[in-house]
Each structure stands twice: as C-alpha cells, then as structure tokens.
Amino acid sequence: MNNILKPESSKYSFSMMILSVFAVLLLVSCVNESNSDKKHLVFKYNEHKNIGSLDPAFAKDNADIWAINQLFNGLVQMDENLNVQPCIATDWTISEDALTYSFTLRNDVQFHNHELFGTDSTRIVKASDFVYSFNRLLDKKIASPGSWTLNKVEDFKAVNDTLFQIRLKQAFPAFLGLLTMKYCSVVPKEIVEHYSTDFRSHPIGTGPFKLKRWEENLKLVFRKNNFYFETDSKGEQLPYLEAVAITFLPDKQSEFLQFAQGNIDFVSGLDASYKDEILTASGNLRPLYENDVNMIRGPYLNTEYLAFFMESDLPELQSDILRKAINYGFDRQKMMTYLRNGIGIPANGGFIPKGLPGYDDSIGFSFQPEKAKQLVQQFKTETGIASPEITITTTSNYLSFCEYIQRELQKIGIVVNIDVIPPATLKDAKANGKLDMFRASWVADYPDAENYLSLYYSKNFAPNGPNYTHFKSELFDQWYEDAFTITDTKERELLYTKMDSLVMAKTPVVPLFYDEVVRFTRKSVSGLGINPINLLDLKRVKKN
C-alpha cells in the first residue's frame, strides 16, 4: 500500500540485484519473444508481496486485486472520482423501496479463449453467469473472504440472458459501490469446475488482459485481450498496451533501484528506504528525477490510527481523560513532515478520512501540549497514579511513528513502551482482544463512510466483526441502523458526521493521518491516473 515501511537494510544486496536483473530479463524475453518491435508497449511493475491467487473470489490483498483487475470484470466499475459506472451492465434501475436492482447486460462481452468452450473457444457472458458467480461467492465450501459483500442480499436471478436482478434484505445505499469490488467479478462455470481450486492459476475472465505465464514468486505476464469489449471516447478499442509484466522483488529498495534504472515503469507508495532519495522534505521531486519521473498524488481512503481496547483492565486506558490527553499530546503535522516527507494528511478530523462524504475536520484533536499536560495531571490527581504508563503494540513497519509518539507523550508525563511483533501475530491478537493499545489502519472496502463507522457498531465486536476496540454506544448503534433507511444523500452524510463526532468524543482511537496515494511513473507512461481506493487500472495506459 502507500505506507512508510521500515527498511530491512540500508545496503542493497548484490545477490538480490543479480536476481532482480535476471528476473526482468526473463520477463522481457517472455513477453517479447515474437514481438520485439512492440517492446515499448509492455508495462512493467514490481510486487514486493507475492500474489496468492488470480481467482476473484479470493481478491483480498492489494497485490491480488491489482492483478485480478486486469483479468476480470463485474456488473459495474468505479471511476477515479468514486462514481459508479457501467461495465458489463450497460444500465440499471432501482425499485422505489430501494430493495430491487435490475441490471441490463451487454450482449457482446466474451470470456477469454479456452478450449473448454468448444468450437468457438469462447462464449458470450449471460446473466446466468452472474448467478453462478454470486452463488460461488456464497458457497461455504469455497470459503471466499468476499462472501460478506452479499450479506444484505436476499436473492438474485437471471430474468433472461441479458437481465440480472438482485433483491436486498434491507435498503443499503452503498450497495452499488460494493458491487464494484473484484469479489463480484463474473467467472465461467465450465472453466471453474474443470480446474476447481487450480482456477487460482488458470484464470479465465473477460478483462482487458489475459494470463500468458505465471511462475510464482518470480514473474507474471499478461497479454492483451484482442476481443475486449470497452473502447475509449474516440471509439478505439482498449487496452492500448500489448502486455503487462510483473516481477516479485520483496525488497522495496531493490524495487526502487529497478525503477531508477528504467527497468520498471511504475512504483506505488513512499517507502522509508527511498523517500529522501526521490523527494524533498516538502514532498517535491528532487531535481535528479524531475526530467524522467512523474509523481501523481491524491487522497486515499485509508485512516492510520492507534486503537484502545475499551474493555482493558488498565486504569490508564479506562480513563477518557488520559485517552484525550494522548490525542492532544503530539503534533501530527510535524510527524507527517519528518516521517512522510509531507505525504499524507494529518488526522485532525474524525475517523472518516478526507475525501469521503461525512468527513469533518472540526471534530477531532489538534496539538495542544498544555491542555494535554493538564489532563495528565488531572488523571494523576483523580487516580493517585503518579506515573501513568501505556504500551503500544505495533509491527516493525510503523516503529518510527510509534517512537515519535513515544517521545512526544513522555513530554506531557506519560511513560510509553513499544512492543514490536510480527504482522500476523498482531492481526490475531487484536481480533481476540489480547492487546490494550495497538497501531492499525482501515482501508475502505467500498467508498462509503458506513464502512468506517462499522468499526464502532456493537454487533460487530471482533473476532466476529471489525469492531476491534469493543466500543459500545446505544445512541451510536441507533444512528448506525437509521443510516440504512435514509435515502437522501445529504441527510445521510450529516448523520455520518454526527456518528463520527460521537466516536471522537469517547476517544476509542487516536487518528494519526489520512493516507495519500502516491505513484511514480516514467515520463514515457501516460493515462495511469489515480483514485482514492488505489486500484491499478491499466486498460487506458499508454507508453511512448
């Protein structure tokens, strides 16, 4: 994602350099084995995290989602401004009670070629394919992590080949946005059932690219789908690129070196290992890169925060006075300048990030050290605890942030310990209420503030939901449930802000910053764009 990671080493491994160069040479030769004149039409990027599956039913990690987005389509898609646009569905209607959605499908969308389709080696997508795909998503034997996307769905059916209908259990204003997730992509029954679990490495979709070659953890190559159904504004068929080549260098510093040498076309995010190399302290490109590199940045629906477990036995964490002192006790703007080179927005608002309707920059906490000291003193007087002490649990990637907060809070009279544990251990511990205070982030699953507020609904207590703090408020719960019945967009946004304000007043969390999407590309690349959900869309990318 776009988070600063602590570098594993300040030195670039010679063996890693040899491996990376070898991998890139293999990729290029694979992609261009018969099309050397089209070499400039290959878009190359690196994933430092291995791809687990190319099956959209398992599109839960960013690396997987980016790859799957090139291979599969759904009913609808999101544009760069978070507006829901047609995809395989040309249009749709919503019933007056907001429970029934009727989608009219295109009749010219073909699956990628495969011999199992018979004589024509392909076939047209029908409404029955969405029935199969959605049922598969719900199948407990498949155990898709995306099954929750259909939690509010009562049933669905193919009225005919080009009309697909979904009926909800209750009105859900964010439902169309939820359908843009890659989980809801269409897949062909005959191919999936032939490969079974191996469909993960034999994906057949409808997307702008199709799988050419995958050597896991080494290289992944997609080739242009010559029968893709979408066109640009001038009627020219998409995609423009001939191929996409992905390498798997686990080290971010190695990845950046490959980018600097022109071996890959794109780097996402700002890593501590190279942030000062490419950016000034104010967040601008350094002169060395101005002529060869473009930087694109914009809001990202990701809130980085510290969380308190509200059922903790520790008096420090039971006290809203001390929790407020922590929120007032450090300078978020200074933190962003020194640790992120100005990339990211200090979280002086609530939990809803900037860029989403419902965000309000007046409901959070600013840096007020004297007020923080007064609150700490009040806590000491009321409890008799002379030296309040807290422990922040984090991963090594965020150690620099926690160390900064540690230094700042010690200035106001709070002793801060830092416990660094592996990501998997932290994930399990926070889900099971074993951590009193921990660093976390929430990236939007779909672009609606309800997604963020669901972390404070009492019926979502972890491990059965995302309420990791075990925050509970009857008033909040009532407002949360009311929001589903409000069809007026502005009215619902106002209620979202009230809910966020209530959460901040009770301080179960310490918002740190709202992230930004940052992308670096070669000057030869155009049309990449940017979006607040950080989805990689390559169908309109061109290379000179």
Side-chain angles (χ1 to χ4, degrees):
M1 306 290 264
N2 299 305
N3 306 317
I4 293 184
L5 305 177
K6 184 184 178 187
E8 298 295 330
S9 169
S10 60
K11 295 182 180 180
Y12 182 78
S13 164
F14 178 78
S15 60
M16 182 62 75
M17 183 185 297
I18 296 298
L19 175 63
S20 63
V21 172
F22 178 67
V24 170
L25 288 173
L26 276 175
L27 266 167
V28 172
S29 64
C30 172
V31 173
N32 300 292
E33 54 193 6
S34 61
N35 295 286
S36 59
D37 58 325
K38 295 182 178 180
K39 181 177 178 179
H40 66 289
L41 295 178
V42 179
F43 184 86
K44 293 167 286 184
Y45 76 95
N46 181 70
E47 277 293 357
H48 68 279
K49 181 182 183 301
N50 297 327
I51 289 174
S53 176
L54 295 175
D55 181 344
F58 296 90
K60 63 184 178 67
D61 293 327
N62 212 45
D64 299 33
I65 291 169
W66 279 11
I68 287 168
N69 190 49
Q70 317 313 321
L71 303 173
F72 292 90
N73 299 104
L75 292 165
V76 289
Q77 58 190 333
M78 197 81 70
D79 69 14
E80 60 185 17
N81 297 313
L82 302 183
N83 298 311
V84 176
Q85 301 290 348
C87 192
I88 293 178
T90 58
D91 55 73
W92 54 89
T93 59
I94 305 172
S95 61
E96 287 188 15
D97 61 6
L99 294 177
T100 303
Y101 290 66
S102 300
F103 296 89
T104 302
L105 308 187
R106 298 177 64 124
N107 60 4
D108 61 347
V109 179
Q110 300 179 30
F111 285 112
H112 299 154
N113 287 359
H114 196 285
E115 60 185 12
L116 285 173
F117 287 127
T119 306
D120 295 331
S121 296
T122 186
R123 68 170 177 81
I124 301 294
V125 173
K126 300 177 181 179
S128 57
D129 291 309
F130 278 100
V131 173
Y132 172 76
S133 301
F134 281 27
N135 276 325
R136 181 171 180 262
L137 203 57
L138 294 171
D139 188 343
K140 292 182 180 180
K141 293 180 181 178
I142 300 296
S144 167
S147 60
W148 64 268
T149 58
L150 302 180
N151 281 351
K152 291 182 171 62
V153 173
E154 180 67 33
D155 55 47
F156 43 84
K157 64 180 180 180
V159 178
N160 54 48
D161 284 351
T162 58
L163 185 60
F164 180 62
Q165 200 168 79
I166 303 173
R167 189 161 59 94
L168 304 184
K169 299 173 184 176
Q170 67 177 94
F172 184 43
F175 184 62
L176 277 175
L178 197 136
L179 287 177
T180 66
M181 297 184 69
K182 300 317 295 180
Y183 290 129
C184 301
S185 301
V186 68
V187 297
K189 178 180 179 179
E190 53 266 68
I191 308 297
V192 175
E193 295 194 346
H194 173 76
Y195 286 110
S196 187
T197 56
D198 285 338
F199 184 68
R200 64 173 290 279
S201 56
H202 295 83
I204 295 294
T206 59
F209 298 93
K210 56 187 179 181
L211 178 64
K212 171 67 176 178
R213 185 176 179 183
W214 187 14
E215 293 186 25
E216 295 194 36
N217 306 332
L218 181 60
K219 58 179 174 290
L220 176 59
V221 180
F222 300 146
R223 294 299 299 265
K224 177 179 182 176
N225 175 11
N226 291 316
F227 300 99
Y228 189 59
F229 60 94
E230 286 192 283
T231 58
D232 63 16
S233 59
K234 297 179 181 178
E236 184 178 348
Q237 186 183 30
L238 299 174
Y240 304 120
L241 295 167
E242 285 296 321
V244 177
I246 307 169
T247 50
F248 294 92
L249 302 178
D251 179 62
K252 295 288 286 185
Q253 189 176 11
S254 307
E255 176 185 79
F256 180 74
L257 181 60
Q258 288 296 308
F259 175 73
Q261 293 175 345
N263 293 326
I264 58 177
D265 300 303
F266 157 75
V267 169
S268 175
L270 191 65
D271 188 79
S273 64
Y274 60 76
K275 69 182 181 68
D276 295 324
E277 163 70 17
I278 194 168
L279 293 183
T280 64
S282 58
N284 296 313
L285 281 173
R286 291 194 181 277
L288 178 63
Y289 295 96
E290 284 180 338
N291 293 331
D292 300 314
V293 174
N294 284 325
M295 179 176 70
I296 320 169
R297 60 187 284 192
Y300 181 29
L301 299 188
N302 175 25
T303 298
E304 300 283 342
Y305 65 102
L306 301 178
F308 304 105
F309 185 58
M310 300 296 277
E311 296 178 353
S312 170
D313 294 330
L314 296 177
E316 287 91 341
L317 301 189
Q318 290 176 351
S319 170
D320 62 343
I321 293 172
L322 201 71
R323 295 198 306 270
K324 287 180 180 177
I326 293 170
N327 267 286
Y328 283 123
F330 66 100
D331 190 336
R332 291 166 174 82
Q333 181 62 63
K334 183 179 177 182
M335 179 179 72
M336 300 311 294
T337 299
Y338 287 106
L339 298 180
R340 292 271 301 194
N341 293 62
I343 302 297
I345 303 161
N348 296 123
F351 194 71
I352 299 172
K354 188 171 185 178
L356 263 189
Y359 166 79
D360 188 332
D361 62 3
S362 68
I363 65 176
F365 294 86
S366 57
F367 178 47
Q368 298 185 44
E370 293 307 314
K371 188 169 185 175
K373 290 176 184 177
Q374 292 172 7
L375 290 169
V376 172
Q377 187 57 50
Q378 181 183 344
F379 171 81
K380 291 179 178 179
T381 302
E382 292 182 1
T383 63
I385 298 175
S387 182
E389 185 172 346
I390 61 174
T391 297
I392 303 174
T393 304
T394 184
T395 60
S396 59
N397 295 345
Y398 293 88
L399 180 59
S400 59
F401 286 93
C402 293
E403 288 177 338
Y404 170 80
I405 293 168
Q406 178 186 49
R407 292 191 296 270
E408 296 299 297
L409 294 185
Q410 286 174 342
K411 295 176 185 177
I412 64 170
I414 300 175
V415 176
V416 180
N417 304 306
I418 300 174
D419 184 19
V420 180
I421 62 177
T425 306
L426 190 150
K427 182 179 180 180
D428 179 71
K430 75 175 184 180
N432 290 285
K434 296 179 180 179
L435 301 177
D436 292 310
M437 186 177 181
F438 54 89
R439 193 222 65 86
S441 62
W442 189 260
V443 181
D445 293 311
Y446 48 92
D448 191 278
E450 179 272 334
N451 189 218
Y452 285 85
L453 298 171
S454 67
L455 273 70
Y456 305 100
Y457 184 50
S458 66
K459 293 182 181 179
N460 284 340
F461 273 14
N464 299 316
N467 188 341
Y468 300 110
T469 63
H470 281 206
F471 172 85
K472 185 173 184 179
S473 163
E474 290 184 4
L475 180 57
F476 181 92
D477 285 354
Q478 184 60 57
W479 285 348
Y480 183 81
E481 291 168 3
D482 289 345
F484 290 113
T485 66
I486 299 173
T487 56
D488 182 86
T489 303
K490 291 299 179 183
E491 184 181 351
R492 193 169 68 254
E493 289 172 9
L494 289 173
L495 182 57
Y496 285 161
T497 303
K498 284 175 61 178
M499 294 163 67
D500 202 13
S501 181
L502 187 154
V503 170
M504 294 312 299
K506 300 294 184 180
T507 58
V509 291
V510 182
L512 301 177
F513 64 93
Y514 315 118
D515 211 348
E516 286 187 287
V517 179
V518 183
R519 294 179 171 181
F520 302 99
T521 68
R522 312 299 307 178
K523 290 281 188 181
S524 59
V525 173
S526 62
L528 181 63
I530 201 166
N531 55 80
I533 57 174
N534 194 25
L535 182 66
L536 185 65
D537 188 353
L538 299 178
K539 62 191 174 191
R540 289 182 171 82
V541 169
K542 292 182 178 180
K543 281 186 67 176
N544 299 326

